[in-house]
Amino acid sequence: MNSALPRYRLGLRARMTLAFGLGALLISVALSTSTWAFTRQTQLKQREGDQMNTAVRNARVVRGTLTGGSRPEKMRDFLAALPTGALSSVVREQVSTSPEPPTTSSNPAVGPFEDLPESLRSTVGAGSAAKMHFRADDVPYLGIGIPIPSVDAEYYEILDLAELEHSLERLAVYLTTATVLASAAGASVGWWASRRTLAPLREVSEAAEAIAGGFLDTRLEAEHDPDLAILVSSFNEMAQALQQRVERDARFASDVSHELRSPLMTLAASAEVLHTRREELPERSRSALDLLIEDVERFQELVSDLLEISRFDSGAADLQLEPVVLSEFLRQAVRHTSHRHVPVISSPNSDDLVVAIDKRRMAQVVANLLNNAARYANGASAVVVQYRPDEAEVDVIVEDEGPGVDPAEQTLIFERFARGRSAGARGSDGGSGLGLALVSEHVRLHGGRVRVENRMNTASNPAERDNEVKPAVDADVDSALDTEAAVVTGARFVVVLPVREIAESDYPEGLDT
């Protein structure tokens, strides 16, 4: 058995519902079965007892009538007049010398004597009273036989049990229906109980998700239930400790960054002064000065990014949303960077799309992604805008034609100071290691998300691959990964932003909607 195969496991709510339903089904089946069996046994026993008493009385009357050789002129009418609830009464007399003794039935149309089981007739013929259930033409009967040795005869009564059988069948239908309804009711109670039981866990899950999303002040409301109060108290204490720890770390990073900014500014100013006299310095001093200026710039960028990150951690970061035409905003944002040659391509339904964004933060997102492409992939090839109205989201995609990103690093690349296994090859760029982390924080603050994926080309002909590189915006990455001929032709950093409804009164003057 392959242990690597995924195993389907029911959720806790489904398991509780199933357990309640099965429990109700088992109890209902047990009660229904016992009720039906008890009712059947009671009805049959009562019917047999009453009919046996009646048969004994009638046998005495028949014996009295046949005593001394006297015999009613019309035996059949005599039997029909006997007080009995049986369907037919039969007298078999042994006085004849014929091989088959004569029999007289009150109702020969129903249950002829030959229909009585041979075992019953032989038992009665041997001198013992007996009763037996049997079926004839699929009709249930009860046969009772009583020997009358004083007149050398036997008396039988045949009782029709069809009505009793139908009554028991209707009872079985009612009990089966009740069992199904009880099982459904049990499952409903289980679903309701599981919902009530799991409600506190759902609140804890939502609170944990909010904390993981950066809302560190999220707390659970106090519970009066003594069992849940311990859970709520422990969770809130944990969240409080986590918030204090994060805030302490954020204050530390902020304080260190502020302390570093002043000497860095002094160092940068000194380096600038030295740079003005660079031509007067010997060659080795020029190289040292260039390295110093490069590192100072890198440290300034690092300190600036740390200060921005600390604002996110402390919760001081907020949004200044403004409605803008997204494609035009992106063109302006690209134009104000050093990568102004990168084209901005928008889908037909995205040309005039208006979204509410924080322009300063989104401009930094675009700049960071373009800088990242320039450092690791020889520059971005395009910025693509794709609007998905069904999901009320718009994708801002920065594409490059570099070596791509290792799948194992695609979820780690947005973490702070994460450079992955390519750190050695791509780490000489002078970046701070916080650019993509800031992208993630800015996008998250907008209520969006960011991801990176590789652009894949599955064409076997190199010429075809080259032709497919440019429209790779619509490439099916998942299917390409399953193809042996798939070739990584670059990376796509996808920023997903929600598209919120904007009131017309909020549109600034001159904005083309």
Side-chain angles (χ1 to χ4, degrees):
M1 183 175 180
N2 189 356
S3 59
L5 292 176
R7 297 177 58 186
Y8 180 75
R9 185 179 178 83
L10 292 175
L12 184 56
R13 177 178 297 181
R15 280 182 284 163
M16 289 185 65
T17 303
L18 184 61
F20 271 80
L22 287 177
L25 176 62
L26 292 176
I27 295 174
S28 301
V29 168
L31 289 177
S32 299
T33 303
S34 59
T35 300
W36 185 85
F38 177 77
T39 303
R40 179 180 181 277
Q41 185 69 18
T42 302
Q43 291 292 324
L44 285 178
K45 191 174 182 180
Q46 181 180 2
R47 188 70 61 90
E48 290 175 358
D50 294 344
Q51 198 61 37
M52 179 61 77
N53 293 333
T54 301
V56 170
R57 286 196 302 270
N58 291 337
R60 289 172 181 169
V61 173
V62 171
R63 183 185 61 183
T65 302
L66 298 178
T67 300
S70 62
R71 190 172 187 277
E73 292 297 331
K74 295 182 179 180
M75 192 62 181
R76 179 175 301 168
D77 295 339
F78 169 74
L79 292 175
L82 290 175
T84 176
L87 193 62
S88 177
S89 300
V90 180
V91 170
R92 186 188 193 197
E93 300 177 75
Q94 302 289 348
V95 295
S96 175
T97 58
S98 61
E100 185 61 28
T103 60
T104 303
S105 175
S106 63
N107 186 5
V110 178
F113 180 76
E114 288 74 15
D115 288 344
L116 288 170
E118 178 60 30
S119 57
L120 174 64
R121 287 184 289 166
S122 61
T123 301
V124 176
S128 300
K131 60 182 179 182
M132 181 174 289
H133 291 271
F134 65 97
R135 302 186 77 88
D137 296 333
D138 202 28
V139 177
Y141 293 104
L142 170 63
I144 299 176
I146 299 175
I148 311 177
S150 59
V151 294
D152 199 14
E154 300 164 8
Y155 176 75
Y156 296 91
E157 286 192 355
I158 302 174
L159 182 66
D160 186 356
L161 297 179
E163 181 181 355
L164 177 60
E165 187 177 73
H166 293 161
S167 298
L168 292 176
E169 288 176 352
R170 285 197 298 270
L171 177 62
V173 171
Y174 295 152
L175 290 176
T176 302
T177 304
T179 298
V180 173
L181 294 178
S183 302
S188 300
V189 171
W191 180 84
W192 175 82
S194 63
R195 185 177 181 181
R196 295 278 300 175
T197 304
L198 296 178
L201 295 181
R202 186 171 59 253
E203 294 176 0
V204 171
S205 175
E206 293 173 352
E209 186 177 357
I211 291 174
F215 301 96
L216 299 178
D217 57 345
T218 302
R219 299 290 185 273
L220 295 175
E221 295 183 0
E223 280 284 348
H224 300 293
D225 188 321
D227 296 327
L228 295 178
I230 299 176
L231 173 64
V232 171
S233 175
S234 300
F235 181 88
N236 287 340
E237 290 177 0
M238 179 196 68
Q240 181 69 22
L242 178 63
Q243 182 181 13
Q244 292 175 351
R245 175 63 181 273
V246 172
E247 290 176 349
R248 186 165 59 249
D249 292 346
R251 285 196 301 271
F252 174 77
S254 179
D255 293 343
V256 170
S257 301
H258 280 290
E259 292 298 327
L260 286 176
R261 187 162 58 176
S262 296
L264 272 177
M265 292 179 63
T266 303
L267 192 59
S270 301
E272 187 64 26
V273 171
L274 291 176
H275 185 69
T276 58
R277 297 180 175 275
R278 183 175 183 277
E279 300 301 327
E280 301 174 7
L281 299 176
E283 184 62 28
R284 294 185 59 183
S285 297
R286 291 180 188 177
S287 300
L289 178 59
D290 292 340
L291 291 175
L292 175 63
I293 293 175
E294 182 179 345
D295 281 343
V296 168
E297 291 176 349
R298 180 182 177 187
F299 274 123
Q300 285 182 313
E301 181 182 353
L302 174 62
V303 170
S304 176
D305 290 345
L306 281 174
L307 287 173
E308 186 70 22
I309 286 285
S310 66
R311 280 192 284 272
F312 282 105
D313 291 343
S314 63
D318 56 356
L319 282 177
Q320 301 294 329
L321 294 178
E322 300 178 54
V324 299
V325 178
L326 183 60
S327 57
E328 182 58 30
F329 167 79
L330 292 175
R331 291 188 183 93
Q332 294 292 337
V334 172
R335 192 172 297 125
H336 283 84
T337 66
S338 58
H339 317 282
R340 56 187 62 192
H341 61 283
V342 177
V344 177
I345 305 171
S346 58
S347 58
N349 64 346
S350 306
D351 284 338
D352 300 326
L353 180 65
V354 178
V355 297
I357 59 173
D358 187 316
K359 293 194 292 185
R360 182 184 69 84
R361 297 187 186 280
M362 281 306 300
Q364 187 172 357
V365 167
V366 173
N368 284 5
L369 291 178
L370 292 178
N371 289 336
N372 180 75
R375 287 166 181 160
Y376 303 128
N378 297 323
S381 57
V383 176
V384 181
V385 185
Q386 290 181 330
Y387 176 42
R388 290 179 285 115
D390 293 341
E391 301 176 17
E393 292 179 337
V394 60
D395 296 340
V396 178
I397 307 168
V398 177
E399 294 186 344
D400 63 54
E401 299 178 3
V405 180
D406 191 304
E409 300 175 1
Q410 290 180 0
T411 57
L412 305 175
I413 199 170
F414 296 100
E415 294 184 1
R416 300 171 187 180
F417 300 109
R419 297 177 185 273
R421 288 179 294 178
S422 60
R426 306 177 74 180
S428 59
D429 52 85
S432 65
L434 293 173
L436 293 181
L438 279 173
V439 169
S440 178
E441 294 289 353
H442 286 309
V443 174
R444 183 183 60 80
L445 200 60
H446 280 81
R449 57 191 182 279
V450 62
R451 69 176 187 275
V452 61
E453 58 196 24
N454 286 333
R455 302 170 64 200
M456 308 299 295
N457 185 5
T458 59
S460 57
N461 189 320
E464 295 179 3
R465 292 176 185 172
D466 293 340
N467 292 333
E468 289 191 0
V469 167
K470 292 182 175 54
V473 173
D474 297 325
D476 188 345
V477 176
D478 292 337
S479 61
L481 287 173
D482 296 333
T483 306
E484 293 182 358
V487 176
V488 176
T489 60
R492 308 170 71 212
F493 286 80
V494 184
V495 175
V496 182
L497 295 175
V499 178
R500 305 179 179 88
E501 293 186 2
I502 304 172
E504 293 185 2
S505 58
D506 294 336
Y507 279 67
E509 294 183 1
L511 180 64
D512 184 9
T513 61

